[in-house]
Amino acid sequence: MNQNTLENRFMEFTLEEQFFALPLISVKEVIQKPDVTTVPNMPAHFEGMMNLRGKIIGVFNVRKKLGIKRPVAEKGQSHDLATPQSPEVVVVVEQNGVSVGMLVDEVTRVIHATSDMLKDAPLKDDDATRKFIVNVIQTKEHMVLSVDVSELLEIEKYRKQLAA
Amino acid sequence: VDDFELELKSTFIDEAILNLEEVEGCFMELEGASDSKDLLDRIFRLAHNLKGGSRSVGFGDVAQFTHELENLVLAVQKDKVKLTSEVISTLLRSNDRIVEMMHTLKQDMNATFNNEEMIEEIKSWIDGTRVSSDVPSAKLDSRSVDTEMAATATPIPPSDAFFESEKAVVPVDAEGDGNGDDDEVFQEIVEIEGTAEGDDRKNETSDSETQTKLDQLSSGDNSDSDPAPVNASRSRLEDANTGTENRESTIPSNEQVLADVLDLVKSNQQQIKLDEKSREKPTATGARSSTLRQDKEDEVVRVSLSRIELLNDYVGELIVLQSVIQQQSQGRDQLKLQTSIQQMVKLSKEIQNLSMGLRMLPVKPLVQKLQRVVRDTATMLQKNVRLEVVGDQMDVDKSVLDQLGDPLIHILRNAVDHGLESTEERAATKKNPQGVVRLSFHNEGNHLIIEVVDDGKGINADIVRKKAIEKRIIAAHDALSEKQIINLIFHAGFSTKAVTSEVSGRGVGMDVVKTNVEKIGGMVDVSTQLGSGSNFKLKIPLSLAVIEGLVVATTRGRYVVPLSQVQETVNLGSVDIQTQVLGIGDCMQLRGQVVPIYRLERLLESNRREEGGVKDSTALLFFVEERLVAVSVKELMHSQQVVIKALNNGIQRQKGWVGSCVLGDGLPTLIVNPPELLEGKVVGASYDHSTQKKGAA
């Protein structure tokens, strides 16, 4: 079995020291977090819009979308979702002609996943994040949650908007 | 080979549709043209090309039909058939038929057509069984009426009409030498608007010039022994001619090439030759067709080769400059680097202009369509109408142009149908029995101004008001200015059939006009004088890609507002502000008028409650459904041209958002349109409000 096709490669990234991955084929580029402009009337997980070489794209705060809370930092500041501590990068995802930015803590590596490494996600049925997680990649080092970017970034909604 | 043929066919259809537009223009000009020889030659050539082309790509029905059409044109050319308005009607309808066939073929390449009836009609002209004067009227369609009627309905104004009009005619080119060539003079004139917005000073200074030019013209007239009336159409014809020639010289006629190639292939039946040819076939065509096949909805724009070459040159220069800058950035000579960057700035501006110019298309084909609409409407209603067209030599962005057709057709039909009185009515009011509709185009800054002026009966504000009350668009006690009342015809609820017959008709689908025009960021204004006519004025941005924007700051960040929408700005520190009036919040007194104030950040985020007064902020005034409304912002920053970027990528678009743009510091910013944000929020309140205020006073 050819292990080096683009399809079975994943990009690993971290959110609060948890490991996640998304299909490498949908990653267009990874950039340092640029200045973003806040946009009114948007859901909390919408970070703002950024200028990617003249193209305006929305940036999603995946941490908020997945409901990953910050560890208790200082007194009175527990569960503060807003202020990041680790360096942040934006992963620009392109799918079906739609580009969306995804704010994550760090991009760590690329994983070549063989089929025996893919496991079902050990999530309860009623877990809110269940629909975003496709499966688990068991690597030598640790478990990585593989996310469904279309679902996570609501690609379909924007594709329809693009077509309209 | 299948693909190859498909490509040929679809290219042929695209070409044919373009050619047919030209043919229609020719037919329209034929009417009233004193010398039709050149025109007929052109029509014949186009018909012949079409015939050859359609036969070679295998559209037999089209070929047969165009063959008959060609015969008729030939007969007219040889003076065997007299060119009457009825013949022209037949020609026009044949043209329509071919256009129809082309569009059907575009969908389905294998479609077949039955043109028997039309061919019969054409043949009957050629063999003389049909003669203009005693044709049974039942056999004609409504467009073919008696010659005199149709001839007067043509859009060609005699030259005199230009000078009798109230507008000042000013020469642009002072070198016009008055050598008796009226056509040339006509090409040199533009019009200065005599409307309220017209610059008085400009008019004054130009008067003398006008006079000189008029003198030149009339002296030219005298020296010209030809007694034939000078037709403005002749200048247009010449323009069209040069236009075609230019195009032909820059782009080789694909149709001809295709026809040749196919003929060759079909006669020789040599497969090898075909393969060779298909490989070295005109690459431009190949590339175009292949994109066409990928996405059927992709549209085709004709661009002159010289423009593309220029663009290529500039881009080449840019690349060179880029490497120069790269090198200089490693050296220490700051000054040199700065000069290079300056150069690059200039160059990229040029490139932007050029690349935007690729989208610009002439309004002329649209005007031809409109001339046809007026002609058809007039003949159908048995009205004697003349359409004057001024300034149709303009270029407009394609997407704008596409949106202009429907509103203009609507307005023009309305003008002919309801604006102009019947011939008898006009006679009774001692008006010239021939109604005049004038369609004019001119530039005003970044905007295209289109005016449709008729000399009909005008709009009766009293009747409009009554109807609006009946339709519950306004309340009986609403105090509205006459202008506000007239503008009610654009209200969506105003347009119903019942209204049409009673309220001198104005208002049929007028809301469509407004919606369409506003969709492309334009504005509609109507003014009217009872008894002497109405004036519909459309203000349309020349391009959708770049707008003049006002950058404003709110407590929640910066936004850009299209400057064209802003009526004026008011420093709220200097006016009388009343807070919490009548449940609509803050208001201000401005020149005796009460204007409600809305905060921009509140409009954008309805759940947000901003504390503190609006005292030290600035208000932008807008018209929302004919009401003056103020939108307050923390600070006006500056105005600048912004390039509109679509909001597609991961940003949920909302009502009132025009798009986004990148400001000087590289940060993206939303472009919002306050009138659209306010839509539906302000009208009821302000109507009530204004009446209560007035009632109290």
Side-chain angles (χ1 to χ4, degrees):
Chain A
M1 186 179 143
N2 181 12
Q3 296 188 0
N4 260 338
T5 58
L6 205 53
E7 280 69 36
N8 58 18
R9 280 195 276 180
F10 291 83
M11 196 189 76
E12 187 189 66
F13 61 92
T14 61
L15 292 169
E16 290 311 322
E17 282 154 23
Q18 288 186 51
F19 293 93
F20 295 88
L22 75 164
L24 190 63
I25 198 165
S26 52
V27 176
K28 200 178 168 205
E29 59 186 293
V30 180
I31 51 171
Q32 286 298 316
K33 186 193 173 190
D35 287 336
V36 295
T37 308
T38 49
V39 179
N41 257 349
M42 283 291 177
H45 64 260
F46 188 84
E47 188 76 13
M49 54 183 179
M50 66 176 234
N51 171 16
L52 181 70
R53 295 183 301 274
K55 194 170 180 177
I56 310 295
I57 68 175
V59 180
F60 275 56
N61 190 325
V62 192
R63 187 203 313 270
K64 287 183 190 167
K65 182 97 186 188
L66 290 172
I68 299 169
K69 299 190 170 84
R70 295 207 159 274
V72 179
E74 283 158 55
K75 270 180 219 162
Q77 282 203 333
S78 58
H79 299 175
D80 177 8
L81 295 175
T83 46
Q85 286 159 333
S86 44
E88 287 184 302
V89 292
V90 171
V91 178
V92 180
V93 172
E94 190 178 279
Q95 232 179 5
N96 298 331
V98 178
S99 305
V100 181
M102 204 171 122
L103 191 64
V104 304
D105 286 355
E106 231 181 324
V107 169
T108 38
R109 60 171 172 168
V110 172
I111 304 169
H112 297 251
T114 49
S115 52
D116 56 309
M117 289 163 75
L118 301 175
K119 307 267 158 61
D120 282 345
L123 293 167
K124 287 181 217 134
D125 279 352
D126 58 345
D127 196 310
T129 58
R130 193 185 154 78
K131 63 175 175 172
F132 305 127
I133 309 293
V134 194
N135 48 30
V136 171
I137 305 168
Q138 180 67 58
T139 68
K140 267 180 272 168
E141 297 81 11
H142 44 244
M143 294 225 308
V144 179
L145 295 172
S146 166
V147 297
D148 179 346
V149 274
S150 299
E151 195 66 48
L152 188 63
L153 305 178
E154 301 156 37
I155 297 286
E156 191 52 26
K157 186 167 88 186
Y158 299 114
R159 198 190 58 77
K160 277 186 192 142
Q161 189 178 318
L162 192 71
Chain B
V1 179
D2 275 355
D3 272 1
F4 174 56
E5 223 175 276
L6 206 69
E7 261 179 45
L8 286 178
K9 282 182 176 179
S10 61
T11 314
F12 165 75
I13 292 170
D14 285 337
E15 288 283 329
I17 290 172
L18 280 171
N19 279 337
L20 286 165
E21 272 173 28
E22 196 184 328
V23 174
E24 173 157 352
C26 293
F27 285 150
M28 297 300 296
E29 283 175 41
L30 261 183
E31 243 169 349
S34 53
D35 180 19
S36 54
K37 198 180 169 311
D38 281 356
L39 274 172
L40 283 169
D41 283 350
R42 243 168 83 211
I43 295 169
F44 184 75
R45 208 182 59 231
L46 288 166
H48 187 76
N49 276 355
L50 199 63
K51 186 181 80 171
S54 53
R55 180 159 295 159
S56 53
V57 293
F59 296 146
D61 292 334
V62 180
Q64 191 204 353
F65 187 71
T66 44
H67 176 71
E68 297 301 334
L69 191 61
E70 190 188 327
N71 281 345
L72 178 58
V73 177
L74 197 68
V76 175
Q77 224 176 353
K78 297 236 167 88
D79 268 341
K80 280 183 195 145
V81 174
K82 207 168 167 319
L83 190 66
T84 62
S85 132
E86 286 165 62
V87 177
I88 291 175
S89 281
T90 303
L91 289 173
L92 278 173
R93 267 180 303 131
S94 314
N95 198 42
D96 286 351
R97 181 79 189 120
I98 302 174
V99 174
E100 210 182 295
M101 285 195 273
M102 285 304 154
H103 283 289
T104 318
L105 283 171
K106 207 169 182 172
Q107 307 297 324
D108 173 17
M109 296 273 187
N110 299 315
T112 52
F113 305 94
N114 182 9
N115 298 317
E116 283 305 317
E117 219 173 299
M118 208 63 222
I119 290 177
E120 275 311 305
E121 188 180 327
I122 294 172
K123 277 186 173 159
S124 68
W125 283 114
I126 300 171
D127 58 27
T129 45
R130 186 185 286 223
V131 186
S132 297
S133 48
D134 60 0
V135 183
S137 58
K139 231 188 151 186
L140 285 173
D141 97 330
S142 57
R143 269 183 226 127
S144 326
V145 286
D146 69 285
T147 318
E148 193 197 326
M149 178 63 125
T152 45
T154 56
I156 297 117
S159 65
D160 285 0
F162 275 88
F163 304 111
E164 277 163 19
S165 73
E166 295 142 20
K167 296 201 163 186
V169 182
V170 181
V172 206
D173 183 359
E175 280 165 31
D177 46 13
N179 59 1
D181 189 348
D182 298 292
D183 293 347
E184 222 176 87
V185 181
F186 264 108
Q187 282 172 339
E188 285 163 15
I189 59 176
V190 289
E191 291 217 344
I192 298 250
E193 272 308 305
T195 59
E197 285 151 54
D199 188 345
D200 286 344
R201 229 178 9 171
K202 206 166 165 190
N203 273 343
E204 267 168 38
T205 52
S206 58
D207 271 351
S208 56
E209 284 177 65
T210 316
Q211 203 45 55
T212 8
K213 198 66 187 184
L214 286 181
D215 290 343
Q216 280 174 8
L217 190 71
S218 53
S219 66
D221 252 331
N222 294 339
S223 64
D224 192 354
S225 55
D226 181 15
V230 183
N231 279 323
S233 72
R234 228 194 285 161
S235 71
R236 289 203 204 101
L237 167 61
E238 269 186 20
D239 275 0
N241 260 329
T242 47
T244 348
E245 271 155 36
N246 280 344
R247 252 185 282 148
E248 276 168 8
S249 60
T250 47
I251 302 180
S253 167
N254 285 337
E255 193 187 292
Q256 203 52 55
V257 177
L258 291 178
D260 292 344
V261 172
L262 261 189
D263 277 347
L264 204 70
V265 171
K266 290 216 166 156
S267 55
N268 294 348
Q269 295 286 322
Q270 285 174 340
Q271 206 55 50
I272 314 137
K273 207 154 195 172
L274 170 68
D275 287 340
E276 266 172 28
K277 277 275 171 186
S278 69
R279 239 176 258 132
E280 56 183 51
K281 236 184 51 69
T283 45
T285 326
R288 220 173 66 179
S289 306
S290 65
T291 51
L292 204 118
R293 222 179 331 143
Q294 271 168 18
D295 184 5
K296 283 274 178 202
E297 281 168 34
D298 197 12
E299 290 168 272
V300 178
V301 177
R302 268 191 171 208
V303 180
S304 79
L305 195 59
S306 61
R307 260 180 170 172
I308 294 177
E309 272 168 359
L310 196 61
L311 190 63
N312 266 340
D313 285 352
Y314 278 145
V315 173
E317 224 172 296
L318 190 71
I319 303 295
V320 172
L321 212 59
Q322 177 201 318
S323 58
V324 168
I325 287 176
Q326 237 157 18
Q327 214 164 54
Q328 282 174 344
S329 69
Q330 273 147 27
R332 282 174 208 281
D333 197 340
Q334 277 288 318
L335 205 68
K336 260 190 187 161
L337 185 63
Q338 270 168 17
T339 326
S340 302
I341 290 174
Q342 272 306 320
Q343 237 175 312
M344 187 134 154
V345 169
K346 259 196 219 157
L347 193 61
S348 38
K349 202 155 200 164
E350 287 287 342
I351 292 175
Q352 193 204 10
N353 281 341
L354 244 160
S355 71
M356 296 227 303
L358 298 181
R359 298 179 48 89
M360 301 297 252
L361 295 179
V363 294
K364 199 142 184 153
L366 174 65
V367 169
Q368 280 172 1
K369 229 173 269 170
L370 295 173
Q371 286 175 331
R372 181 80 192 277
V373 166
V374 171
R375 183 191 192 270
D376 288 355
T377 319
T379 16
M380 204 165 69
L381 294 165
Q382 309 270 309
K383 279 184 185 174
N384 189 345
V385 181
R386 189 180 71 217
L387 178 70
E388 286 178 13
V389 182
V390 184
D392 59 348
Q393 316 286 340
M394 296 197 43
D395 287 347
V396 190
D397 190 284
K398 182 171 191 326
S399 42
V400 174
L401 195 66
D402 290 345
Q403 294 292 329
L404 275 182
D406 285 347
L408 282 177
I409 287 175
H410 238 104
I411 294 175
L412 279 170
R413 269 208 199 120
N414 249 298
V416 176
D417 191 359
H418 309 298
L420 296 176
E421 309 91 332
S422 66
T423 316
E424 300 85 59
E425 267 179 86
R426 288 183 75 91
T429 49
K430 289 187 181 147
K431 277 185 179 177
N432 185 337
Q434 184 177 55
V436 177
V437 176
R438 207 189 52 223
L439 172 67
S440 70
F441 297 83
H442 68 271
N443 262 333
E444 224 176 76
N446 273 329
H447 285 83
L448 165 69
I449 309 288
I450 307 173
E451 279 185 280
V452 177
V453 184
D454 66 64
D455 67 345
K457 56 190 168 233
I459 305 167
N460 189 330
D462 289 341
I463 304 178
V464 173
R465 191 192 156 84
K466 241 182 255 164
K467 275 290 155 189
I469 294 169
E470 224 168 82
K471 296 259 159 213
R472 293 175 185 277
I473 296 167
I474 54 169
H477 57 265
D478 275 345
L480 299 177
S481 72
E482 192 169 312
K483 198 170 175 66
Q484 284 172 343
I485 295 172
I486 298 291
N487 273 298
L488 287 174
I489 63 169
F490 293 115
H491 201 282
F494 199 79
S495 54
T496 68
K497 278 261 153 73
V499 187
T500 323
S501 50
E502 290 169 53
V503 189
S504 48
R506 287 303 173 98
V508 195
M510 277 302 176
D511 62 311
V512 178
V513 172
K514 197 178 166 84
T515 322
N516 265 23
V517 169
E518 280 176 357
K519 200 158 78 193
I520 49 175
M523 291 199 293
V524 196
D525 189 41
V526 53
S527 56
T528 185
Q529 185 99 46
L530 211 57
S532 51
S534 319
N535 179 353
F536 284 83
K537 185 173 172 183
L538 311 188
K539 191 175 175 189
I540 315 276
L542 278 179
S543 162
L544 296 184
V546 176
I547 59 163
E548 195 65 38
L550 191 62
V551 186
V552 299
T554 70
T555 52
R556 295 278 294 159
R558 293 179 306 181
Y559 296 97
V560 173
V561 175
L563 197 61
S564 60
Q565 299 285 335
V566 181
Q567 300 298 320
E568 61 179 299
T569 60
V570 175
N571 181 357
L572 288 179
S574 64
V575 289
D576 186 14
I577 296 174
Q578 296 149 294
T579 47
Q580 300 305 316
V581 194
L582 300 163
I584 52 159
D586 301 341
C587 290
M588 67 168 166
Q589 287 275 358
L590 185 73
R591 296 185 290 269
Q593 211 178 343
V594 178
V595 180
I597 305 172
Y598 297 85
R599 282 167 192 269
L600 185 57
E601 49 268 60
R602 281 278 311 275
L603 288 175
L604 290 165
E605 280 179 280
S606 42
N607 55 355
R608 176 164 289 273
R609 291 228 156 252
E610 218 63 51
E611 298 309 319
V614 287
K615 199 79 196 153
D616 50 357
S617 51
T618 310
L620 314 175
L621 297 191
F622 299 94
F623 272 116
V624 182
E625 319 230 331
E626 321 317 326
R627 291 259 123 200
L628 201 58
V629 173
V631 172
S632 73
V633 297
K634 201 175 86 195
E635 193 190 342
L636 291 186
M637 296 174 82
H638 59 274
S639 76
Q640 71 171 89
Q641 284 210 337
V642 294
V643 179
I644 302 180
K645 312 257 180 195
L647 285 174
N648 284 322
N649 293 299
I651 301 166
Q652 180 81 56
R653 205 190 184 121
Q654 295 179 26
K655 196 183 172 201
W657 293 11
V658 179
S660 60
C661 62
V662 178
L663 292 184
D665 54 7
L667 281 176
T669 309
L670 268 191
I671 307 172
V672 295
N673 185 16
E676 210 180 321
L677 289 170
L678 280 161
E679 232 166 63
K681 289 184 186 166
V682 76
V683 178
S686 60
Y687 276 147
D688 284 347
H689 174 63
S690 79
T691 44
Q692 286 186 33
K693 268 280 142 184
K694 290 238 166 104

